[in-house]
Amino acid sequence: MQRRGALFSMPGGSGSRKMAAGDIGELLVPHMPTIRVPRSGDRVYKNECVFSYDSPNSEGGLYVCMNTFLAFGREHVERHFRKTGQSVYMHLKRHVREKVRGASGGALPKRRNSKIFLDLDTDDDLNIDDYEYEDEAKLVIFPDHYEIALPNIEELPALVTIACDAVLSSKSPYRKQDPDTWENELPVSKYANNLTQLDNGVRIPPSGWKCARCDLRENLWLNLTDGSVLCGKWFFDSSGGNGHALEHYRDMGYPLAVKLGTITPDGADVYSFQEEEPVLDPHLAKHLAHFGIDMLHMHGTENGLRDNDIKPRVSEWEVIQESGTKLKPMYGPGYTGLKNLGNSCYLSSVMQAIFSIPEFQRAYVGNLPRIFDYSPLDPTQDFNTQMTKLGHGLLSGQYSKPPVKSELIEQVMKEEHKPQQNGISPRMFKAFVSKSHPEFSSNRQQDAQEFFLHLVNLVERNRIGSENPSDVFRFLVEERIQCCQTRKVRYTERVDYLMQLPVAMEAATNKDELIAYELTRREAEANRRPLPELVRAKIPFSACLQAFSEPENVDDFWSSALQAKSAGVKTSRFASFPEYLVVQIKKFTFGLDWVPKKFDVSIDMPDLLDISHLRARGLQPGEEELPDISPPIVIPDDSKDRLMNQLIDPSDIDESSVMQLAEMGFPLEACRKAVYFTGNMGAEVAFNWIIVHMEEPDFAEPLTIPGYGGAASAGASVFGATGLDNQPPEEIVAIITSMGFQRNQAVQALRATNNNLERALDWIFSHPEFEEDSDFVIEMENNANANIISEAKPEGPRVKDGSGMYELFAFISHMGTSTMSGHYVCHIKKEGRWVIYNDHKVCASERPPKDLGYLYFYRRIPS
């Protein structure tokens, strides 16, 4: 293998103990049964610790277990050794040194560097021409820390040599074959670095493109050498074309082209005719600038038009990111950025806001020793472990250190560079929280609001002991529906986690300006002239708040008094106020052509918010309630026969379909009923059931099936699932106790492994010290008993009611035309000043654009 050849051509590592071949063999003999060669399907983590963001670039390097192939930083490797007894680890370390300078002051000519064999990203902050890298690998045997330098092909047993080579040559566990993420797999074009660009004065207009050889206006490609705009062929992206871009390459030999309409700040679709495949162009921004295209202000659309055809879209990007202002970088605890993995800014922005909340800090980072000690054997597959890892990475300051002058001088003297880590990569966290989710597991841009609810759902399902930090967002909504015919009313309550605020466009304070713009725009489109500068609507916050509380007409709800469908009027108010209020501005909608679009609005969001007047009042004197009679169940025709022939056990409800519906914003119990009554036929059929029944008074009430003794999901809360409180099933507890283990051990093991019997047994064997941590056991048992009591005596959803006065402390802003494209950044108020979190960049904010936000986070002001 190529990597093996490179590895085993290295000289012996410095500082390692010298010993004879026989000594090495004798040293490894007791551990040979635990050393494995990675098989197909094994995930080898050699780039990052599973408990921290240490890597081979870190000062202590990285230790890879030669049995589980999990990686650990120096701080955590002893924990894994004590927990599992695995003794043999491969230690990986990358050294970065400044290149030796020639007599003229420049670096010496480049030579083939055979000292690099780790598949790692280079430091983005370093000029690769000024520094050289040297990778070091060695085996370390615990607990005595015996070191065996690699390569050592003559002295190591053949199995160990093969295992070491396989670990070093393994690919990243995050490489996917999913077609939606193919962009991460693209090779860099060999023509990108030295691409010739003709100085022919060609400038590409922002719109109105057409193939230079035919009349096609779709599937157009810009040749990056001469600026020709020509149509493509169907085989690349399934859209039509006459192949004129390919013909142009055959005539002229110009290799690279970029598809117009796909250019965004994150990249674009680039194709190499010579290499006959999609490629990456690391100098794309420079190549596009040659033809007058500013890539950093481009936002692609599917119809070939650019968002920056309209000037304020550029302004939106500049204003929200505070471009043009010299921002001071911030370092230290709480000022760590998150690297963009490719359209992962929605996740980064939400997590920065979440971990600025003390309850989440205490629940995860505050419980770090316990969570890490009681994590399953594979911590990459445990939600609480990965949340704690991310929280510690963001809050510890360990990965956000400013350069110190004295350290820089010392590094220069030693000719060795110790790069300061600029942000952390949430790759392991994203891989876990997005698995099995069709949208978040892709590399496409997503809705930050949807991810926030998805995260709340995961927190609910994986609560730690008696503490559930997501309770700070929970509140009750009182819905009042009045029948227009009988004037009778029905009051219901539901749980929610955010306040969705409509955009009151009719209340814009600059209507005359908006009307003038619309007339000018239509005239420009009709005459094919450049569009005018877009006017942003100015909306008073008070108008949006008023629109939230206004009555809503309901044309098709079940009136139990009439025993028929009727028209009604619905109003919603707060039955309780949450400790932290999340406000979503409903900026996104669909046009008449079903193309997603976004309201370009400025709303004067207040720093201090008072919603006390929205407190629910309950049944009022003189009001008469509708009778408590349930409507008949309507089942789609294509599922009636199936239901008549076989009644579905509530425990067999397809939870994946339930969660797909719940993440659309529907109450969980309604989603469960929809899936149940449509016979587990999928989310689409269940969605149709919801549309038919969503106005019914018991729409969000728990599923009740005759013969099952009441609610089919007692105790389950909105966005949760069965087993939400993680109370282990008694039948599984009985299996474990029948093997001779204590009940306490069984309960704790099942809780730590999400009720997985096999993993629970592994957990028990790997925690011989279990009985010593009696306090933790008692806490977990008390929590289990509390859950049982709460199920026996339902007291309603967990809420933390209080005052309706709030203070703004964070907001997330979106740039772009829809949630499927664009970019997110987060602003958080810390230590009395606003800070902007723009992926890995964390700076003091000078002009926080509070009027352009999408999600706002308010904390309650104590009364």
Side-chain angles (χ1 to χ4, degrees):
M1 297 175 63
Q2 183 178 359
R3 286 191 177 275
R4 179 175 176 178
L7 170 62
F8 291 108
S9 64
M10 290 176 56
S14 59
S16 58
R17 293 180 174 86
K18 289 287 186 180
M19 56 184 72
D23 295 337
I24 292 178
E26 291 179 7
L27 190 63
L28 286 171
V29 164
H31 309 292
M32 290 295 288
T34 67
I35 298 176
R36 292 201 303 119
V37 177
R39 299 187 299 268
S40 175
D42 281 339
R43 293 173 297 182
V44 180
Y45 297 90
K46 60 179 183 178
N47 289 6
E48 181 180 294
C49 172
V50 298
F51 290 121
S52 72
Y53 292 92
D54 287 352
S55 71
N57 287 314
S58 302
E59 185 175 354
L62 198 65
Y63 295 82
V64 180
C65 175
M66 294 301 292
N67 180 269
T68 64
F69 311 118
L70 298 170
F72 305 91
R74 186 167 60 185
E75 182 183 356
H76 300 286
V77 64
E78 292 278 0
R79 172 186 283 109
H80 186 256
F81 164 69
R82 293 193 306 268
K83 187 172 184 177
T84 65
Q86 300 297 336
S87 300
V88 183
Y89 297 82
M90 180 183 289
H91 182 255
L92 303 175
K93 181 73 177 81
R94 168 164 288 183
H95 303 277
V96 184
R97 295 185 179 88
E98 192 172 4
K99 288 185 178 179
V100 179
R101 299 284 171 178
S104 61
L108 292 177
K110 294 181 180 179
R111 296 176 298 174
R112 177 185 173 89
N113 192 348
S114 61
K115 298 182 179 181
I116 297 180
F117 52 82
L118 293 177
D119 183 19
L120 302 176
D121 296 330
T122 57
D123 194 322
D124 295 334
D125 296 333
L126 301 181
N127 187 336
I128 194 170
D129 294 330
D130 296 333
Y131 295 90
E132 61 184 4
Y133 301 90
E134 180 178 351
D135 294 338
E136 176 188 6
K138 56 189 175 185
L139 289 179
V140 180
I141 303 177
F142 284 73
D144 297 318
H145 294 267
Y146 285 114
E147 296 181 359
I148 303 174
L150 298 176
N152 210 331
I153 193 170
E154 293 84 6
E155 301 175 328
L156 287 176
L159 173 65
V160 178
T161 299
I162 295 171
C164 291
D165 182 54
V167 167
L168 289 168
S169 61
S170 61
K171 300 296 183 183
S172 167
Y174 304 111
R175 289 183 181 269
K176 296 183 179 180
Q177 300 303 318
D178 182 74
D180 289 331
T181 58
W182 62 266
E183 56 266 33
N184 271 358
E185 308 290 333
L186 298 183
V188 175
S189 172
K190 62 183 179 181
Y191 299 101
N193 287 337
N194 300 303
L195 182 70
T196 299
Q197 291 192 284
L198 303 184
D199 191 11
N200 54 10
V202 172
R203 291 293 181 269
I204 304 301
S207 60
W209 310 311
K210 185 175 76 70
C211 176
R213 298 190 184 183
C214 67
D215 293 328
L216 285 181
R217 295 180 179 272
E218 297 178 349
N219 190 20
L220 299 177
W221 294 78
L222 168 67
N223 190 284
L224 291 175
T225 294
D226 64 357
S228 297
V229 176
L230 299 151
C231 61
K233 290 191 70 174
W234 63 270
F235 58 80
F236 176 55
D237 64 352
S238 300
S239 56
N242 297 318
H244 289 142
L246 179 60
E247 288 182 11
H248 184 67
Y249 159 71
R250 290 170 178 167
D251 294 340
M252 309 302 298
Y254 302 151
L256 299 182
V258 61
K259 186 175 182 182
L260 294 173
T262 69
I263 303 169
T264 73
D266 297 320
D269 293 347
V270 181
Y271 190 80
S272 172
F273 297 106
Q274 176 65 36
E275 296 159 289
E276 298 184 339
E277 63 178 338
V279 295
L280 292 177
D281 178 2
H283 309 291
L284 183 59
K286 172 187 171 184
H287 294 155
L288 291 172
H290 181 81
F291 299 109
I293 299 175
D294 186 351
M295 175 178 165
L296 296 180
H297 292 152
M298 292 288 291
H299 320 300
T301 62
E302 294 185 2
N303 60 3
L305 296 177
R306 306 184 318 178
D307 291 346
N308 67 339
D309 291 347
I310 303 173
K311 294 178 183 177
R313 290 298 183 200
V314 177
S315 175
E316 179 185 52
W317 283 70
E318 293 174 346
V319 171
I320 290 176
Q321 297 184 102
E322 303 189 51
S323 302
T325 303
K326 189 174 183 180
L327 302 178
K328 178 184 177 182
M330 303 287 285
Y331 300 97
Y335 298 106
T336 303
L338 288 165
K339 296 179 179 178
N340 197 317
L341 307 175
N343 288 327
S344 63
C345 51
Y346 68 92
L347 177 148
S348 299
S349 297
V350 170
M351 298 315 299
Q352 292 285 9
I354 287 293
F355 275 113
S356 69
I357 297 174
E359 284 77 2
F360 279 86
Q361 296 173 3
R362 290 195 299 267
Y364 295 103
V365 183
N367 284 319
L368 183 147
R370 283 183 178 179
I371 293 174
F372 282 180
D373 285 342
Y374 287 90
S375 65
L377 292 182
D378 186 356
T380 68
Q381 301 303 303
D382 181 66
F383 174 75
N384 291 326
T385 300
Q386 292 308 309
M387 276 288 282
T388 304
K389 170 184 172 178
L390 181 64
H392 180 263
L394 294 176
L395 300 173
S396 66
Q398 186 175 341
Y399 307 100
S400 177
K401 298 178 181 178
V404 180
K405 290 184 179 179
S406 60
E407 290 183 0
L408 292 175
I409 295 173
E410 181 182 356
Q411 292 170 17
V412 171
M413 296 296 292
K414 291 183 177 180
E415 293 185 343
E416 181 169 353
H417 179 81
K418 296 180 180 178
Q420 303 295 328
Q421 184 159 351
N422 191 5
I424 57 180
S425 171
R427 189 177 300 276
M428 192 176 292
F429 177 80
K430 182 178 185 295
F432 179 81
V433 300
S434 64
K435 69 177 183 179
S436 302
H437 192 287
E439 295 300 327
F440 300 134
S441 60
S442 75
N443 265 17
R444 298 186 296 272
Q445 187 61 277
Q446 303 298 331
D447 189 342
Q449 176 257 358
E450 291 181 1
F451 179 75
F452 168 76
L453 293 179
H454 176 65
L455 182 76
V456 167
N457 175 37
L458 291 174
V459 173
E460 289 274 7
R461 290 162 53 188
N462 297 276
R463 59 188 300 189
I464 305 170
S466 59
E467 189 169 9
N468 185 355
S470 66
D471 285 352
V472 300
F473 300 124
R474 293 171 65 97
F475 61 91
L476 292 175
V477 177
E478 178 193 85
E479 291 188 344
R480 174 187 182 274
I481 297 182
Q482 183 174 36
C483 177
C484 292
Q485 294 188 44
T486 65
R487 312 307 296 176
K488 295 181 180 181
V489 298
R490 176 178 295 280
Y491 285 88
T492 57
E493 287 187 350
R494 61 177 173 85
V495 174
D496 214 332
Y497 288 90
L498 56 81
M499 177 185 187
Q500 293 183 311
L501 210 59
V503 176
M505 292 296 293
E506 68 282 356
T509 58
N510 56 341
K511 288 183 180 179
D512 293 342
E513 196 177 2
L514 293 170
I515 294 173
Y517 158 75
E518 182 63 21
L519 294 175
T520 306
R521 183 191 66 80
R522 293 181 180 180
E523 182 182 356
E525 284 185 346
N527 296 285
R528 292 179 173 264
R529 293 202 304 264
L531 296 179
E533 180 174 324
L534 180 63
V535 176
R536 179 171 288 126
K538 298 178 181 179
I539 312 294
F541 171 76
S542 57
C544 298
L545 197 60
Q546 177 64 29
F548 170 82
S549 59
E550 285 181 352
E552 175 186 352
N553 292 326
V554 179
D555 297 328
D556 191 24
F557 93 102
W558 172 259
S559 175
S560 54
L562 299 172
Q563 286 290 292
K565 298 288 184 178
S566 173
V569 176
K570 181 174 71 173
T571 55
S572 300
R573 288 180 175 268
F574 287 86
S576 68
F577 292 128
E579 192 166 354
Y580 287 82
L581 178 65
V582 182
V583 179
Q584 176 197 12
I585 305 299
K586 299 178 68 174
K587 290 186 174 183
F588 299 101
T589 184
F590 288 90
L592 296 177
D593 53 1
W594 287 95
V595 174
K597 67 183 224 178
K598 172 179 161 184
F599 293 124
D600 196 336
V601 295
S602 169
I603 301 177
D604 58 337
M605 296 296 293
D607 289 309
L608 298 178
L609 173 62
D610 184 2
I611 56 172
S612 302
H613 64 286
L614 296 178
R615 169 77 74 172
R617 296 173 296 179
L619 187 67
Q620 296 297 296
E623 290 183 336
E624 184 179 355
E625 285 192 278
L626 287 162
D628 189 14
I629 302 175
S630 299
I633 296 173
V634 179
I635 302 174
D637 292 338
D638 56 359
S639 61
K640 283 183 179 178
D641 292 340
R642 177 178 173 182
L643 287 179
M644 292 302 177
N645 294 331
Q646 180 180 0
L647 186 65
I648 300 173
D649 189 318
S651 62
D652 294 334
I653 292 176
D654 181 7
E655 292 296 339
S656 62
S657 296
V658 173
M659 295 319 302
Q660 286 184 52
L661 296 170
E663 285 162 5
M664 295 179 188
F666 299 114
L668 176 72
E669 292 302 336
C671 300
R672 289 178 57 78
K673 288 196 292 189
V675 174
Y676 176 84
F677 287 124
T678 55
N680 274 349
M681 298 184 68
E684 185 175 353
V685 175
F687 176 78
N688 294 332
W689 187 95
I690 286 178
I691 297 301
V692 172
H693 296 81
M694 65 188 305
E695 299 301 337
E696 295 169 0
D698 63 344
F699 175 67
E701 292 179 6
L703 171 63
T704 303
I705 305 299
Y708 282 98
S713 57
S717 63
V718 72
F719 301 122
T722 50
L724 187 65
D725 293 324
N726 202 17
Q727 174 64 17
E730 283 301 320
E731 58 270 21
I732 304 182
V733 174
I735 292 174
I736 297 178
T737 55
S738 68
M739 299 179 184
F741 298 107
Q742 297 179 8
R743 175 180 172 80
N744 286 353
Q745 285 179 296
V747 170
Q748 174 57 13
L750 289 168
R751 282 184 169 278
T753 57
N754 202 21
N755 298 333
N756 184 294
L757 176 60
E758 183 178 354
R759 288 171 55 199
L761 292 173
D762 289 340
W763 188 95
I764 291 175
F765 286 117
S766 63
H767 290 76
E769 76 288 357
F770 173 81
E771 295 181 3
E772 300 175 6
D773 196 358
S774 57
D775 292 341
F776 188 54
V777 176
I778 292 172
E779 177 187 342
M780 298 300 289
E781 281 295 289
N782 288 341
N783 180 56
N785 294 334
N787 290 335
I788 295 173
I789 293 172
S790 66
E791 289 185 5
K793 299 179 180 180
E795 297 179 358
R798 306 179 308 273
V799 294
K800 299 186 177 183
D801 196 9
S803 165
M805 293 289 295
Y806 294 89
E807 178 184 13
L808 181 68
F809 73 93
F811 62 95
I812 295 172
S813 307
H814 174 270
M815 295 151 280
T817 53
S818 77
T819 56
M820 297 182 293
S821 63
H823 183 57
Y824 289 94
V825 301
C826 181
H827 284 74
I828 303 176
K829 195 173 187 179
K830 292 190 175 183
E831 300 176 314
R833 72 172 304 167
W834 285 98
V835 180
I836 178 173
Y837 293 80
N838 189 354
D839 289 334
H840 66 280
K841 295 177 288 187
V842 181
C843 300
S845 172
E846 296 295 333
R847 295 190 299 269
K850 289 181 284 187
D851 60 323
L852 300 180
Y854 174 48
L855 295 178
Y856 293 85
F857 292 77
Y858 285 86
R859 68 166 60 92
R860 185 161 59 208
I861 301 174
S863 56

